[in-house]
Amino acid sequence: MTPLEKAAHRSRHLLPLVAIALIGCLGGCENKPDGVSLPSPASTTEADTVAPFPDSGVLDAGTYLVTGYPVPFEMTVPDGWRTYNGAELGRDDPDYPDEWNVFLSFWPPHNVPTDACAWQGTLVEIDPTAEAFVDAMTAQASTVTTPPVKVVVGDYSGFEFDHAAESDVDFPACDGGKLCVISDSAQDCNGRQYTTRGERATYLAVDLNGERAVIELGQSDPSIDPALIEEARAIFDSIVFRSDK
């Protein structure tokens, strides 16, 4: 991980200025000439600021603060990435017509189907912890996951794992012709869906003192430009949750 460290630094010229002032007073501060004042201490430099993550538009390169979870997180983004709703970040591969071939999303899913293909009637509300989300996703039928790895993201810990459809899933035969991965609804799949073979995602589930934050790094096709995938991964790896924000 690459946590961002920030600090304000006081000018090293303060000490000589204070020394001059003290020497002047020892010589008789009450006798200083009219109109002459002692030099003021130099002001401290302003602390670095992090830009708030915008609701929409193409982002300039920089570090942004995302505040949609109980604890905010920072992430560093290069030029050319776009957000539409303040909870997703994406970019297209020019060689593919689909929008947002690579993306990051950060919204808290409440329901996970026990079977991603036969998802109707199997959407289950899960407890608001990182562990509950990891357990539900790794137990989900019709999909496969890598073993969850414990990670530290700034001031908090969580789990990271990869997720994809099983190789023999018949997409047209699934409910609604799609795999339902996660959803905000218990009646319909209005969240993450896989509609074509080759879609995959990496999930980060962070424990925020008993509350859950979920961040997904997704890609629509395995043939996407590797440089774009590497860029998305760098954004994903830059994420740090800050308890002091």
Side-chain angles (χ1 to χ4, degrees), residues 9-32:
H9 299 285
R10 185 178 293 274
S11 170
R12 283 189 285 177
H13 297 296
L14 277 178
L15 185 58
L17 290 175
V18 173
I20 291 172
L22 289 173
I23 292 171
C25 281
L26 289 174
C29 289
E30 69 278 8
N31 296 324
K32 67 181 185 297

Side-chain angles (χ1 to χ4, degrees), residues 39-79:
S40 301
S43 61
T44 57
T45 59
E46 295 183 1
D48 294 336
T49 58
V50 179
F53 189 72
D55 289 334
S56 62
V58 178
L59 304 184
D60 294 328
T63 299
Y64 292 87
L65 185 69
V66 183
T67 57
Y69 288 120
V71 176
F73 67 86
E74 299 173 6
M75 65 178 177
T76 301
V77 182
D79 281 320

Side-chain angles (χ1 to χ4, degrees), residues 131-154:
E131 290 82 357
F133 177 77
V134 172
D135 290 344
M137 292 290 281
T138 54
Q140 187 179 72
S142 303
T143 60
V144 292
T145 62
T146 57
V149 176
K150 193 165 186 178
V151 294
V152 176
V153 280

Side-chain angles (χ1 to χ4, degrees), residues 98-148:
D98 296 332
E99 291 186 353
W100 285 32
N101 304 115
V102 178
F103 65 90
L104 285 84
S105 67
F106 16 93
W107 58 279
H110 301 296
N111 300 275
V112 175
T114 57
D115 190 325
C117 184
W119 54 266
Q120 292 180 345
T122 71
L123 287 159
V124 177
E125 185 174 358
I126 54 176
D127 292 338
T129 63
E131 290 82 357
F133 177 77
V134 172
D135 290 344
M137 292 290 281
T138 54
Q140 187 179 72
S142 303
T143 60
V144 292
T145 62
T146 57

Side-chain angles (χ1 to χ4, degrees), residues 3-9 47-50 63 74 240 242 244-245:
L4 305 176
E5 302 293 341
K6 299 188 291 294
H9 299 285
D48 294 336
T49 58
V50 179
T63 299
E74 299 173 6
V240 287
R242 295 298 195 190
D244 57 349
K245 292 296 183 181

